[in-house]
Amino acid sequence: MNVASNWFNSLTECLLSHRRYIPAALTLCTGTSLSLAAAAVVWHSENQRMHAEFHQQADRLNVALQQSINKNLEFLYSLEAFYSASSEVSRQDFKQFTQPALSRNSAIHSVNWIRRVPAAQKAAYEQTIRAEGFPAFQIYERTPDKKQVKAKVRSEYFPIIYREALEEDNKVIGFDVASSPDRKAALEKSVNTGKIAASGRIKLVSNNQPGLQVFLPVPRRTTSADNSVNGRQNLMGVIAGVFQITSMVDFSLESLNLDKINFYLYDNSAIEKERFLVRYDSQAKQLIDNPKHEKPELANLRGKICQNPSACTRLFNVADRQWRLLVLPGKGYNSMTTHQGSLAIGAIGLLMTGGLTIYLLMSLERTAKVEQQVYDRTIQLKQRTAELETALKNLQETQFQLIQTEKMSSLGQLVAGVAHEINNPVNFISGNLIHTGAYTRNLLELVELYQQQYPNPTPVVQAKLQEIDLEFISEDLPKILQSMNMGAERIRQIVLSLRNFSRLDEAEMKSVDIHQGIDSTLMILDSRLKPQPGFPGIQVIKEYGNLPLVECWAGQLNQVFMNVLSNAIDVLHEEKSHIPNGKNSYDAAFLPRIRIRTELLSSNCVCVRIADNGAGMTENVKKRLFDPFFTTKAVGKGTGLGLSIGYQIVDKHQGSFRCLSAPGEGTEFWIEVPVRQQSKQCVSKVSPAVGASWN
């Protein structure tokens, strides 16, 4: 008992004698704890950022692969359209059409034209091809050791008739594709279904590289809707494209910067042992197609990025087959260099804590004469601690902003990519419309000249003229071409607005007539305004004021009109769902209407008001109306970007974009922009009533 009492007394005396060091001990513990806690928080934030960046790279890789494959398949579809539009395609025509694509795209190994030859026509068909300049032509097949032998007796054959490749090889002409086991299934499926079909992984004969063969049947013009086995004789032929898998994947990697990211590509439609296609090794920066490396080394991975394999898996379609992309972090992906920030914060915090503790110990050793000085120093130290906490908070906020900036950058790149992909086919359509218009005028002038030279045609010709109504065609065809040209030009303007939204391009500002922009937009939407079965059509009421020319980006402002009018038309088309009788038709008493009113609010401010007499919207919907990706439409019918982009465009014009609506009272949008771009924004002081007035 006495021993315990003596020990307690000794401990108490020791603590009392060293009580001046208690603040230093507390500072050491607190500083160490805060440093470690800050380092742990930043460590966790770095892990989250690393996970987000990993999955972003995986998504970009998946999109790039799908785009590369679609680009190659689009070539086959263009060749199919060429065959469908031509009465006869010669060997020279085939070569001239395919050679440009082969020279531009290394992934296309070869393109073949295959004909279906029944057994009864085999000898005659072989004789026909021999007469075309192939004296030794015969339908053949290959043995397992790649030797050419005469094709066995079968009910039908599918020989290669035309072939174009970068490396010319006429020996392939006559090869019966149906004799190859790894190609026959896809060929039969394509012929039987009348749709595109792809084979599994095959080994290319010329270079032993992995590839796949895609078959696209081309029916005769008189082919019925039935593409079953009984309708095979209606088949014109089959387009077969052989693609090199590594080249397609390598083309996708050109636009990406995969840093310490590995991936594996599998064919889910194949059997288990034949699913592996290719893998990418980020350390060696090369594609490997050796099946010995088909299984990923999951045991060597660090971190928790791919603990759930489905999170690192992406699926996409290649013709009728499904491919699987497995993306994995490579060696060193989650190394210490990734956590330099957290390690630096922890080291700095511990260093400062140690220095602070030493400083306190030195200060506490001083005599009572300098207590005031020690007090002042303590106040300074508290201020420094507060500054460190503030700096830590600012650092965390900055890291969060960096993550958000990276997300928006990815969105901008995606929008710019989509705009670029849309622009190419639009340019093709727009360019061809010019020639189509010229050809049409020439043909109409020729018909008119015939009518002048031969005013009394034969009864057969007169009957045909009455049947086709030549006068109406002559009047309506230029209008149709003009409408198509305007539609193509409108798409071009939308693509330009998408580029401006991603800030990758600039448009020209000029003074334009707002009314012309509205009228051109209504012309594009004219087909949706007309009556349809079960729909009475939409009445458009124009109340145009006397407006001056407005200085603006005309294409972007037209996009705002397009988005608002399209939403109004969608609302009025869906109005039948709110009719009490529940029938899929409109109430005869309800007449869908859209009113467009323009007015000059001041000397430098014009207003465009677009109203509909639909069901209106609630306050909760109005609050989120201009948020990106917010939409009340069904899945797949709206992106939620139209009004958000419109708001950005009006704000760029220093204008105001507002919505007035209430349930049952319709919806009205106010678009206000200045006549001349000045520093002062154009915001009207008028406070209109909620909802649209239809008096």
Side-chain angles (χ1 to χ4, degrees), residues 113-144:
W113 173 244
I114 301 173
R115 295 295 296 266
R116 173 182 172 272
V117 179
Q121 303 173 10
K122 177 176 177 294
Y125 193 80
E126 288 178 338
Q127 188 64 31
T128 301
I129 301 301
R130 290 169 188 161
E132 293 181 2
F134 296 89
F137 176 82
Q138 69 171 351
I139 300 177
Y140 72 92
E141 60 186 56
R142 293 192 184 100
T143 61

PDB file of all heavy atoms in Angstrom, residues 113-144:
ATOM      1  N   TRP A 113     -16.320  -9.080-103.475  1.00  0.00           N
ATOM      2  CA  TRP A 113     -17.693  -9.223-103.977  1.00  0.00           C
ATOM      3  C   TRP A 113     -17.930 -10.709-104.244  1.00  0.00           C
ATOM      4  O   TRP A 113     -17.234 -11.339-105.015  1.00  0.00           O
ATOM      5  CB  TRP A 113     -17.876  -8.404-105.241  1.00  0.00           C
ATOM      6  CG  TRP A 113     -19.190  -8.624-105.921  1.00  0.00           C
ATOM      7  CD1 TRP A 113     -19.414  -9.139-107.144  1.00  0.00           C
ATOM      8  CD2 TRP A 113     -20.485  -8.312-105.390  1.00  0.00           C
ATOM      9  NE1 TRP A 113     -20.750  -9.163-107.432  1.00  0.00           N
ATOM     10  CE2 TRP A 113     -21.441  -8.673-106.369  1.00  0.00           C
ATOM     11  CE3 TRP A 113     -20.940  -7.778-104.182  1.00  0.00           C
ATOM     12  CZ2 TRP A 113     -22.798  -8.503-106.180  1.00  0.00           C
ATOM     13  CZ3 TRP A 113     -22.298  -7.611-103.990  1.00  0.00           C
ATOM     14  CH2 TRP A 113     -23.211  -7.960-104.979  1.00  0.00           C
ATOM     15  N   ILE A 114     -18.922 -11.275-103.566  1.00  0.00           N
ATOM     16  CA  ILE A 114     -19.202 -12.712-103.586  1.00  0.00           C
ATOM     17  C   ILE A 114     -20.551 -12.931-104.266  1.00  0.00           C
ATOM     18  O   ILE A 114     -21.530 -12.235-103.968  1.00  0.00           O
ATOM     19  CB  ILE A 114     -19.221 -13.276-102.146  1.00  0.00           C
ATOM     20  CG1 ILE A 114     -17.855 -13.033-101.469  1.00  0.00           C
ATOM     21  CG2 ILE A 114     -19.570 -14.742-102.135  1.00  0.00           C
ATOM     22  CD1 ILE A 114     -17.834 -13.395-100.010  1.00  0.00           C
ATOM     23  N   ARG A 115     -20.606 -13.914-105.159  1.00  0.00           N
ATOM     24  CA  ARG A 115     -21.858 -14.262-105.831  1.00  0.00           C
ATOM     25  C   ARG A 115     -22.337 -15.637-105.383  1.00  0.00           C
ATOM     26  O   ARG A 115     -21.526 -16.530-105.088  1.00  0.00           O
ATOM     27  CB  ARG A 115     -21.659 -14.286-107.355  1.00  0.00           C
ATOM     28  CG  ARG A 115     -21.319 -12.933-107.957  1.00  0.00           C
ATOM     29  CD  ARG A 115     -22.454 -11.932-107.814  1.00  0.00           C
ATOM     30  NE  ARG A 115     -23.608 -12.348-108.555  1.00  0.00           N
ATOM     31  CZ  ARG A 115     -23.892 -11.960-109.790  1.00  0.00           C
ATOM     32  NH1 ARG A 115     -23.083 -11.135-110.417  1.00  0.00           N
ATOM     33  NH2 ARG A 115     -24.981 -12.375-110.406  1.00  0.00           N
ATOM     34  N   ARG A 116     -23.636 -15.789-105.337  1.00  0.00           N
ATOM     35  CA  ARG A 116     -24.223 -17.100-105.038  1.00  0.00           C
ATOM     36  C   ARG A 116     -24.390 -17.859-106.356  1.00  0.00           C
ATOM     37  O   ARG A 116     -25.041 -17.376-107.290  1.00  0.00           O
ATOM     38  CB  ARG A 116     -25.573 -16.949-104.349  1.00  0.00           C
ATOM     39  CG  ARG A 116     -26.308 -18.268-104.158  1.00  0.00           C
ATOM     40  CD  ARG A 116     -27.665 -18.067-103.510  1.00  0.00           C
ATOM     41  NE  ARG A 116     -28.423 -19.304-103.515  1.00  0.00           N
ATOM     42  CZ  ARG A 116     -29.213 -19.713-104.499  1.00  0.00           C
ATOM     43  NH1 ARG A 116     -29.357 -18.959-105.571  1.00  0.00           N
ATOM     44  NH2 ARG A 116     -29.869 -20.864-104.413  1.00  0.00           N
ATOM     45  N   VAL A 117     -23.766 -19.016-106.445  1.00  0.00           N
ATOM     46  CA  VAL A 117     -23.803 -19.817-107.674  1.00  0.00           C
ATOM     47  C   VAL A 117     -24.415 -21.179-107.338  1.00  0.00           C
ATOM     48  O   VAL A 117     -23.792 -21.994-106.631  1.00  0.00           O
ATOM     49  CB  VAL A 117     -22.383 -20.001-108.251  1.00  0.00           C
ATOM     50  CG1 VAL A 117     -22.439 -20.852-109.506  1.00  0.00           C
ATOM     51  CG2 VAL A 117     -21.743 -18.657-108.528  1.00  0.00           C
ATOM     52  N   PRO A 118     -25.632 -21.449-107.792  1.00  0.00           N
ATOM     53  CA  PRO A 118     -26.215 -22.788-107.579  1.00  0.00           C
ATOM     54  C   PRO A 118     -25.366 -23.842-108.297  1.00  0.00           C
ATOM     55  O   PRO A 118     -24.655 -23.564-109.270  1.00  0.00           O
ATOM     56  CB  PRO A 118     -27.620 -22.667-108.175  1.00  0.00           C
ATOM     57  CG  PRO A 118     -27.902 -21.193-108.205  1.00  0.00           C
ATOM     58  CD  PRO A 118     -26.591 -20.534-108.417  1.00  0.00           C
ATOM     59  N   ALA A 119     -25.456 -25.079-107.822  1.00  0.00           N
ATOM     60  CA  ALA A 119     -24.642 -26.160-108.384  1.00  0.00           C
ATOM     61  C   ALA A 119     -24.941 -26.365-109.873  1.00  0.00           C
ATOM     62  O   ALA A 119     -24.030 -26.653-110.667  1.00  0.00           O
ATOM     63  CB  ALA A 119     -24.886 -27.449-107.609  1.00  0.00           C
ATOM     64  N   ALA A 120     -26.181 -26.162-110.273  1.00  0.00           N
ATOM     65  CA  ALA A 120     -26.544 -26.385-111.672  1.00  0.00           C
ATOM     66  C   ALA A 120     -25.912 -25.345-112.598  1.00  0.00           C
ATOM     67  O   ALA A 120     -25.747 -25.586-113.788  1.00  0.00           O
ATOM     68  CB  ALA A 120     -28.071 -26.360-111.826  1.00  0.00           C
ATOM     69  N   GLN A 121     -25.549 -24.186-112.066  1.00  0.00           N
ATOM     70  CA  GLN A 121     -24.985 -23.118-112.883  1.00  0.00           C
ATOM     71  C   GLN A 121     -23.475 -23.012-112.717  1.00  0.00           C
ATOM     72  O   GLN A 121     -22.864 -22.087-113.249  1.00  0.00           O
ATOM     73  CB  GLN A 121     -25.642 -21.781-112.513  1.00  0.00           C
ATOM     74  CG  GLN A 121     -27.142 -21.779-112.643  1.00  0.00           C
ATOM     75  CD  GLN A 121     -27.759 -20.489-112.115  1.00  0.00           C
ATOM     76  OE1 GLN A 121     -27.059 -19.537-111.823  1.00  0.00           O
ATOM     77  NE2 GLN A 121     -29.094 -20.491-111.998  1.00  0.00           N
ATOM     78  N   LYS A 122     -22.861 -23.907-111.982  1.00  0.00           N
ATOM     79  CA  LYS A 122     -21.437 -23.783-111.654  1.00  0.00           C
ATOM     80  C   LYS A 122     -20.559 -23.797-112.904  1.00  0.00           C
ATOM     81  O   LYS A 122     -19.706 -22.918-113.111  1.00  0.00           O
ATOM     82  CB  LYS A 122     -21.032 -24.923-110.706  1.00  0.00           C
ATOM     83  CG  LYS A 122     -19.552 -24.957-110.348  1.00  0.00           C
ATOM     84  CD  LYS A 122     -19.282 -26.061-109.327  1.00  0.00           C
ATOM     85  CE  LYS A 122     -17.798 -26.162-108.997  1.00  0.00           C
ATOM     86  NZ  LYS A 122     -17.013 -26.601-110.150  1.00  0.00           N
ATOM     87  N   ALA A 123     -20.744 -24.769-113.757  1.00  0.00           N
ATOM     88  CA  ALA A 123     -19.875 -24.889-114.937  1.00  0.00           C
ATOM     89  C   ALA A 123     -20.038 -23.690-115.858  1.00  0.00           C
ATOM     90  O   ALA A 123     -19.050 -23.122-116.356  1.00  0.00           O
ATOM     91  CB  ALA A 123     -20.196 -26.190-115.682  1.00  0.00           C
ATOM     92  N   ALA A 124     -21.275 -23.279-116.071  1.00  0.00           N
ATOM     93  CA  ALA A 124     -21.509 -22.133-116.962  1.00  0.00           C
ATOM     94  C   ALA A 124     -20.923 -20.862-116.371  1.00  0.00           C
ATOM     95  O   ALA A 124     -20.361 -20.024-117.089  1.00  0.00           O
ATOM     96  CB  ALA A 124     -23.019 -21.974-117.212  1.00  0.00           C
ATOM     97  N   TYR A 125     -21.037 -20.719-115.085  1.00  0.00           N
ATOM     98  CA  TYR A 125     -20.514 -19.498-114.460  1.00  0.00           C
ATOM     99  C   TYR A 125     -18.988 -19.466-114.523  1.00  0.00           C
ATOM    100  O   TYR A 125     -18.390 -18.405-114.751  1.00  0.00           O
ATOM    101  CB  TYR A 125     -20.999 -19.407-113.007  1.00  0.00           C
ATOM    102  CG  TYR A 125     -20.768 -18.051-112.402  1.00  0.00           C
ATOM    103  CD1 TYR A 125     -21.642 -16.997-112.673  1.00  0.00           C
ATOM    104  CD2 TYR A 125     -19.675 -17.811-111.592  1.00  0.00           C
ATOM    105  CE1 TYR A 125     -21.433 -15.740-112.138  1.00  0.00           C
ATOM    106  CE2 TYR A 125     -19.451 -16.547-111.047  1.00  0.00           C
ATOM    107  CZ  TYR A 125     -20.342 -15.522-111.333  1.00  0.00           C
ATOM    108  OH  TYR A 125     -20.129 -14.279-110.803  1.00  0.00           O
ATOM    109  N   GLU A 126     -18.358 -20.611-114.312  1.00  0.00           N
ATOM    110  CA  GLU A 126     -16.901 -20.659-114.419  1.00  0.00           C
ATOM    111  C   GLU A 126     -16.451 -20.289-115.830  1.00  0.00           C
ATOM    112  O   GLU A 126     -15.449 -19.567-116.011  1.00  0.00           O
ATOM    113  CB  GLU A 126     -16.400 -22.051-114.044  1.00  0.00           C
ATOM    114  CG  GLU A 126     -16.509 -22.362-112.550  1.00  0.00           C
ATOM    115  CD  GLU A 126     -16.054 -23.775-112.225  1.00  0.00           C
ATOM    116  OE1 GLU A 126     -16.067 -24.614-113.155  1.00  0.00           O
ATOM    117  OE2 GLU A 126     -15.701 -24.024-111.079  1.00  0.00           O
ATOM    118  N   GLN A 127     -17.196 -20.746-116.823  1.00  0.00           N
ATOM    119  CA  GLN A 127     -16.846 -20.421-118.204  1.00  0.00           C
ATOM    120  C   GLN A 127     -17.000 -18.929-118.462  1.00  0.00           C
ATOM    121  O   GLN A 127     -16.193 -18.322-119.184  1.00  0.00           O
ATOM    122  CB  GLN A 127     -17.762 -21.224-119.161  1.00  0.00           C
ATOM    123  CG  GLN A 127     -17.352 -21.110-120.623  1.00  0.00           C
ATOM    124  CD  GLN A 127     -15.971 -21.710-120.889  1.00  0.00           C
ATOM    125  OE1 GLN A 127     -15.565 -22.656-120.230  1.00  0.00           O
ATOM    126  NE2 GLN A 127     -15.254 -21.134-121.841  1.00  0.00           N
ATOM    127  N   THR A 128     -17.992 -18.307-117.840  1.00  0.00           N
ATOM    128  CA  THR A 128     -18.209 -16.862-118.020  1.00  0.00           C
ATOM    129  C   THR A 128     -17.049 -16.064-117.443  1.00  0.00           C
ATOM    130  O   THR A 128     -16.556 -15.109-118.061  1.00  0.00           O
ATOM    131  CB  THR A 128     -19.523 -16.440-117.337  1.00  0.00           C
ATOM    132  OG1 THR A 128     -20.596 -17.174-117.918  1.00  0.00           O
ATOM    133  CG2 THR A 128     -19.769 -14.954-117.517  1.00  0.00           C
ATOM    134  N   ILE A 129     -16.587 -16.425-116.269  1.00  0.00           N
ATOM    135  CA  ILE A 129     -15.486 -15.699-115.631  1.00  0.00           C
ATOM    136  C   ILE A 129     -14.193 -15.910-116.402  1.00  0.00           C
ATOM    137  O   ILE A 129     -13.365 -15.002-116.530  1.00  0.00           O
ATOM    138  CB  ILE A 129     -15.328 -16.136-114.169  1.00  0.00           C
ATOM    139  CG1 ILE A 129     -16.615 -15.866-113.389  1.00  0.00           C
ATOM    140  CG2 ILE A 129     -14.175 -15.405-113.503  1.00  0.00           C
ATOM    141  CD1 ILE A 129     -17.028 -14.410-113.378  1.00  0.00           C
ATOM    142  N   ARG A 130     -14.005 -17.123-116.955  1.00  0.00           N
ATOM    143  CA  ARG A 130     -12.803 -17.361-117.758  1.00  0.00           C
ATOM    144  C   ARG A 130     -12.783 -16.450-118.990  1.00  0.00           C
ATOM    145  O   ARG A 130     -11.728 -15.960-119.405  1.00  0.00           O
ATOM    146  CB  ARG A 130     -12.753 -18.821-118.195  1.00  0.00           C
ATOM    147  CG  ARG A 130     -12.473 -19.791-117.046  1.00  0.00           C
ATOM    148  CD  ARG A 130     -12.700 -21.211-117.462  1.00  0.00           C
ATOM    149  NE  ARG A 130     -12.622 -22.128-116.331  1.00  0.00           N
ATOM    150  CZ  ARG A 130     -13.124 -23.356-116.317  1.00  0.00           C
ATOM    151  NH1 ARG A 130     -13.746 -23.823-117.417  1.00  0.00           N
ATOM    152  NH2 ARG A 130     -13.019 -24.121-115.245  1.00  0.00           N
ATOM    153  N   ALA A 131     -13.953 -16.192-119.519  1.00  0.00           N
ATOM    154  CA  ALA A 131     -14.034 -15.321-120.690  1.00  0.00           C
ATOM    155  C   ALA A 131     -13.739 -13.869-120.341  1.00  0.00           C
ATOM    156  O   ALA A 131     -13.437 -13.066-121.225  1.00  0.00           O
ATOM    157  CB  ALA A 131     -15.433 -15.428-121.325  1.00  0.00           C
ATOM    158  N   GLU A 132     -13.808 -13.518-119.067  1.00  0.00           N
ATOM    159  CA  GLU A 132     -13.533 -12.148-118.642  1.00  0.00           C
ATOM    160  C   GLU A 132     -12.044 -11.893-118.457  1.00  0.00           C
ATOM    161  O   GLU A 132     -11.653 -10.811-118.025  1.00  0.00           O
ATOM    162  CB  GLU A 132     -14.272 -11.847-117.331  1.00  0.00           C
ATOM    163  CG  GLU A 132     -15.777 -11.823-117.481  1.00  0.00           C
ATOM    164  CD  GLU A 132     -16.470 -11.500-116.160  1.00  0.00           C
ATOM    165  OE1 GLU A 132     -15.740 -11.258-115.162  1.00  0.00           O
ATOM    166  OE2 GLU A 132     -17.708 -11.495-116.116  1.00  0.00           O
ATOM    167  N   GLY A 133     -11.184 -12.859-118.711  1.00  0.00           N
ATOM    168  CA  GLY A 133      -9.743 -12.634-118.571  1.00  0.00           C
ATOM    169  C   GLY A 133      -9.106 -13.473-117.487  1.00  0.00           C
ATOM    170  O   GLY A 133      -7.977 -13.185-117.066  1.00  0.00           O
ATOM    171  N   PHE A 134      -9.797 -14.479-116.987  1.00  0.00           N
ATOM    172  CA  PHE A 134      -9.251 -15.374-115.964  1.00  0.00           C
ATOM    173  C   PHE A 134      -9.317 -16.800-116.522  1.00  0.00           C
ATOM    174  O   PHE A 134     -10.218 -17.584-116.168  1.00  0.00           O
ATOM    175  CB  PHE A 134     -10.042 -15.264-114.657  1.00  0.00           C
ATOM    176  CG  PHE A 134      -9.949 -13.909-114.017  1.00  0.00           C
ATOM    177  CD1 PHE A 134     -10.858 -12.909-114.345  1.00  0.00           C
ATOM    178  CD2 PHE A 134      -8.951 -13.620-113.092  1.00  0.00           C
ATOM    179  CE1 PHE A 134     -10.785 -11.660-113.765  1.00  0.00           C
ATOM    180  CE2 PHE A 134      -8.875 -12.379-112.514  1.00  0.00           C
ATOM    181  CZ  PHE A 134      -9.780 -11.389-112.845  1.00  0.00           C
ATOM    182  N   PRO A 135      -8.399 -17.163-117.406  1.00  0.00           N
ATOM    183  CA  PRO A 135      -8.498 -18.453-118.113  1.00  0.00           C
ATOM    184  C   PRO A 135      -8.434 -19.649-117.184  1.00  0.00           C
ATOM    185  O   PRO A 135      -8.957 -20.711-117.517  1.00  0.00           O
ATOM    186  CB  PRO A 135      -7.303 -18.413-119.074  1.00  0.00           C
ATOM    187  CG  PRO A 135      -6.349 -17.417-118.464  1.00  0.00           C
ATOM    188  CD  PRO A 135      -7.195 -16.385-117.797  1.00  0.00           C
ATOM    189  N   ALA A 136      -7.776 -19.526-116.032  1.00  0.00           N
ATOM    190  CA  ALA A 136      -7.638 -20.672-115.122  1.00  0.00           C
ATOM    191  C   ALA A 136      -8.676 -20.644-114.008  1.00  0.00           C
ATOM    192  O   ALA A 136      -8.537 -21.338-113.002  1.00  0.00           O
ATOM    193  CB  ALA A 136      -6.227 -20.697-114.524  1.00  0.00           C
ATOM    194  N   PHE A 137      -9.712 -19.807-114.159  1.00  0.00           N
ATOM    195  CA  PHE A 137     -10.679 -19.641-113.074  1.00  0.00           C
ATOM    196  C   PHE A 137     -11.464 -20.922-112.837  1.00  0.00           C
ATOM    197  O   PHE A 137     -11.927 -21.576-113.772  1.00  0.00           O
ATOM    198  CB  PHE A 137     -11.644 -18.501-113.410  1.00  0.00           C
ATOM    199  CG  PHE A 137     -12.733 -18.337-112.391  1.00  0.00           C
ATOM    200  CD1 PHE A 137     -12.508 -17.630-111.230  1.00  0.00           C
ATOM    201  CD2 PHE A 137     -13.984 -18.924-112.590  1.00  0.00           C
ATOM    202  CE1 PHE A 137     -13.511 -17.481-110.305  1.00  0.00           C
ATOM    203  CE2 PHE A 137     -14.981 -18.784-111.660  1.00  0.00           C
ATOM    204  CZ  PHE A 137     -14.746 -18.056-110.507  1.00  0.00           C
ATOM    205  N   GLN A 138     -11.578 -21.257-111.557  1.00  0.00           N
ATOM    206  CA  GLN A 138     -12.482 -22.305-111.123  1.00  0.00           C
ATOM    207  C   GLN A 138     -12.828 -22.058-109.659  1.00  0.00           C
ATOM    208  O   GLN A 138     -12.085 -21.415-108.920  1.00  0.00           O
ATOM    209  CB  GLN A 138     -11.856 -23.695-111.280  1.00  0.00           C
ATOM    210  CG  GLN A 138     -10.708 -23.983-110.320  1.00  0.00           C
ATOM    211  CD  GLN A 138     -10.260 -25.441-110.368  1.00  0.00           C
ATOM    212  OE1 GLN A 138     -10.906 -26.263-110.998  1.00  0.00           O
ATOM    213  NE2 GLN A 138      -9.182 -25.753-109.684  1.00  0.00           N
ATOM    214  N   ILE A 139     -13.975 -22.538-109.256  1.00  0.00           N
ATOM    215  CA  ILE A 139     -14.389 -22.397-107.860  1.00  0.00           C
ATOM    216  C   ILE A 139     -13.636 -23.443-107.047  1.00  0.00           C
ATOM    217  O   ILE A 139     -13.740 -24.643-107.318  1.00  0.00           O
ATOM    218  CB  ILE A 139     -15.911 -22.567-107.720  1.00  0.00           C
ATOM    219  CG1 ILE A 139     -16.636 -21.498-108.551  1.00  0.00           C
ATOM    220  CG2 ILE A 139     -16.320 -22.483-106.262  1.00  0.00           C
ATOM    221  CD1 ILE A 139     -18.142 -21.628-108.543  1.00  0.00           C
ATOM    222  N   TYR A 140     -12.871 -22.959-106.069  1.00  0.00           N
ATOM    223  CA  TYR A 140     -12.015 -23.882-105.313  1.00  0.00           C
ATOM    224  C   TYR A 140     -12.180 -23.638-103.818  1.00  0.00           C
ATOM    225  O   TYR A 140     -12.839 -22.694-103.377  1.00  0.00           O
ATOM    226  CB  TYR A 140     -10.541 -23.696-105.716  1.00  0.00           C
ATOM    227  CG  TYR A 140      -9.933 -22.412-105.213  1.00  0.00           C
ATOM    228  CD1 TYR A 140      -9.260 -22.368-103.972  1.00  0.00           C
ATOM    229  CD2 TYR A 140     -10.013 -21.238-105.954  1.00  0.00           C
ATOM    230  CE1 TYR A 140      -8.703 -21.191-103.520  1.00  0.00           C
ATOM    231  CE2 TYR A 140      -9.459 -20.060-105.503  1.00  0.00           C
ATOM    232  CZ  TYR A 140      -8.793 -20.030-104.270  1.00  0.00           C
ATOM    233  OH  TYR A 140      -8.253 -18.874-103.799  1.00  0.00           O
ATOM    234  N   GLU A 141     -11.559 -24.515-103.057  1.00  0.00           N
ATOM    235  CA  GLU A 141     -11.507 -24.381-101.600  1.00  0.00           C
ATOM    236  C   GLU A 141     -10.101 -24.741-101.142  1.00  0.00           C
ATOM    237  O   GLU A 141      -9.268 -25.183-101.935  1.00  0.00           O
ATOM    238  CB  GLU A 141     -12.548 -25.275-100.935  1.00  0.00           C
ATOM    239  CG  GLU A 141     -12.367 -26.758-101.250  1.00  0.00           C
ATOM    240  CD  GLU A 141     -13.510 -27.589-100.685  1.00  0.00           C
ATOM    241  OE1 GLU A 141     -14.696 -27.309-101.011  1.00  0.00           O
ATOM    242  OE2 GLU A 141     -13.201 -28.517 -99.906  1.00  0.00           O
ATOM    243  N   ARG A 142      -9.838 -24.510 -99.862  1.00  0.00           N
ATOM    244  CA  ARG A 142      -8.501 -24.754 -99.340  1.00  0.00           C
ATOM    245  C   ARG A 142      -8.529 -25.938 -98.381  1.00  0.00           C
ATOM    246  O   ARG A 142      -9.461 -26.108 -97.595  1.00  0.00           O
ATOM    247  CB  ARG A 142      -7.965 -23.530 -98.589  1.00  0.00           C
ATOM    248  CG  ARG A 142      -7.711 -22.325 -99.478  1.00  0.00           C
ATOM    249  CD  ARG A 142      -6.912 -21.261 -98.720  1.00  0.00           C
ATOM    250  NE  ARG A 142      -6.726 -20.053 -99.506  1.00  0.00           N
ATOM    251  CZ  ARG A 142      -7.428 -18.954 -99.385  1.00  0.00           C
ATOM    252  NH1 ARG A 142      -8.397 -18.915 -98.477  1.00  0.00           N
ATOM    253  NH2 ARG A 142      -7.178 -17.895-100.130  1.00  0.00           N
ATOM    254  N   THR A 143      -7.442 -26.723 -98.441  1.00  0.00           N
ATOM    255  CA  THR A 143      -7.256 -27.805 -97.490  1.00  0.00           C
ATOM    256  C   THR A 143      -6.723 -27.229 -96.180  1.00  0.00           C
ATOM    257  O   THR A 143      -6.317 -26.062 -96.121  1.00  0.00           O
ATOM    258  CB  THR A 143      -6.268 -28.841 -98.046  1.00  0.00           C
ATOM    259  OG1 THR A 143      -5.007 -28.186 -98.263  1.00  0.00           O
ATOM    260  CG2 THR A 143      -6.786 -29.412 -99.359  1.00  0.00           C
ATOM    261  N   PRO A 144      -6.696 -28.008 -95.105  1.00  0.00           N
ATOM    262  CA  PRO A 144      -6.157 -27.492 -93.837  1.00  0.00           C
ATOM    263  C   PRO A 144      -4.742 -26.968 -93.951  1.00  0.00           C
ATOM    264  O   PRO A 144      -4.338 -26.095 -93.169  1.00  0.00           O
ATOM    265  CB  PRO A 144      -6.244 -28.711 -92.906  1.00  0.00           C
ATOM    266  CG  PRO A 144      -7.383 -29.513 -93.461  1.00  0.00           C
ATOM    267  CD  PRO A 144      -7.324 -29.343 -94.946  1.00  0.00           C
TER     268      PRO A 144
END
